Amino acid sequence: MLIGYEANNALRNSTPMGDFCRDLIEKMANRYIRDGYRALLFTKGIKKDYRGYFSGNSNVSSYLPVGMSKLMPELWMRYRLNAWLKEEKVKLLHGLNEELPYNIGREVKTVVTCYGIGEHHRASLMDSIMWKGRLRYAFTAADAVVAVSEDVKRQLLEHNVSESKIVVIGVPGRPYEASDEVVEQYYSLYRHLLS
């Protein structure tokens, strides 16, 4: 099972959300290596603190923009990532940062994890508008939208996300905990989407 992750949070974020992403990827890699599980982490850059973070996992690889794409990594993540997905034959992409690349093909199944609408990207009005647009696109394009709590599910429903797409995976009261049960539920979701 080859899973691609939009992994900016995992490799750039030192908040509990980043910890959750790293824990999820690491636990999946350790637990399911016998099943042929491999993770490809797509990120526009790696924060110094997380360089080599997954080096002990032979089934986890990181992909960053190369060549001219280094000059505009945000555009690489939004528009050029699809070429990498095809080249690597990725069949499922998980947007851990609540986002997906634009124009993602239907041959790639997609999952987006939502931690809560309106909690991020308040740096400027323009940033907030752009982020909300990327959220709308991700929720529309995704095959499954994971809500980390029942409260987040209610937020998604209020924003007209189809209830048939929403899957609640999380520890009540602890949305950023990648418990064994949470890891099992994500793995089951991946298997279901790929069957």
Side-chain angles (χ1 to χ4, degrees):
M1 180 184 290
L2 177 60
I3 307 296
Y5 290 93
E6 184 283 327
N8 282 317
N9 274 333
L11 296 169
R12 297 170 58 87
N13 189 331
S14 58
T15 68
M17 187 187 303
D19 294 338
F20 169 80
C21 295
R22 285 184 290 279
D23 288 348
L24 178 67
I25 293 166
E26 188 168 41
K27 286 181 178 182
M28 295 281 281
N30 291 334
R31 181 171 294 173
Y32 300 112
I33 192 167
R34 288 188 200 106
D35 294 351
Y37 173 87
R38 266 185 67 225
L40 302 182
L41 311 182
F42 297 97
T43 181
K44 58 187 174 187
I46 301 175
K47 193 174 176 181
K48 182 180 169 184
D49 299 348
Y50 305 115
R51 289 187 190 138
Y53 187 89
F54 294 103
S55 60
N57 297 92
S58 61
N59 53 339
V60 178
S61 304
S62 299
Y63 286 77
L64 292 103
V66 295
M68 293 298 287
S69 295
K70 285 183 186 178
L71 299 175
M72 293 182 276
E74 190 72 34
L75 291 177
W76 176 80
M77 288 297 294
R78 302 282 163 253
Y79 298 100
R80 298 292 300 144
L81 185 55
N82 287 329
W84 283 76
L85 296 174
K86 286 179 184 173
E87 185 178 313
E88 296 296 330
K89 298 181 175 57
V90 173
K91 298 295 182 199
L92 189 143
L93 178 68
H94 186 164
L96 288 170
N97 196 33
E98 303 174 323
E99 298 181 30
L100 293 172
Y102 290 115
N103 303 318
I104 192 153
R106 294 309 307 159
E107 64 276 0
V108 177
K109 296 293 184 185
T110 52
V111 176
V112 174
T113 295
C114 183
Y115 308 94
I117 297 173
E119 295 181 16
H120 316 296
H121 297 275
R122 295 185 182 176
S124 70
L125 178 61
M126 182 55 78
D127 189 36
S128 179
I129 291 168
M130 291 174 62
W131 177 70
K132 287 178 182 176
R134 291 193 301 261
L135 276 185
R136 272 193 301 278
Y137 171 77
F139 296 155
T140 301
D143 294 295
V145 178
V146 174
V148 297
S149 68
E150 289 293 335
D151 185 50
V152 173
K153 178 181 179 179
R154 281 190 292 280
Q155 291 175 24
L156 290 167
L157 292 172
E158 289 170 6
H159 283 80
N160 300 316
V161 177
S162 172
E163 188 166 10
S164 63
K165 285 186 176 187
I166 301 172
V167 179
V168 178
I169 299 177
V171 177
R174 298 186 310 247
Y176 299 117
E177 184 176 323
S179 68
D180 291 342
E181 183 181 346
V182 165
V183 173
E184 290 282 342
Q185 289 176 350
Y186 271 107
Y187 191 69
S188 295
L189 176 62
Y190 296 166
R191 290 179 62 97
H192 170 73
L193 290 171
L194 290 171
S195 63

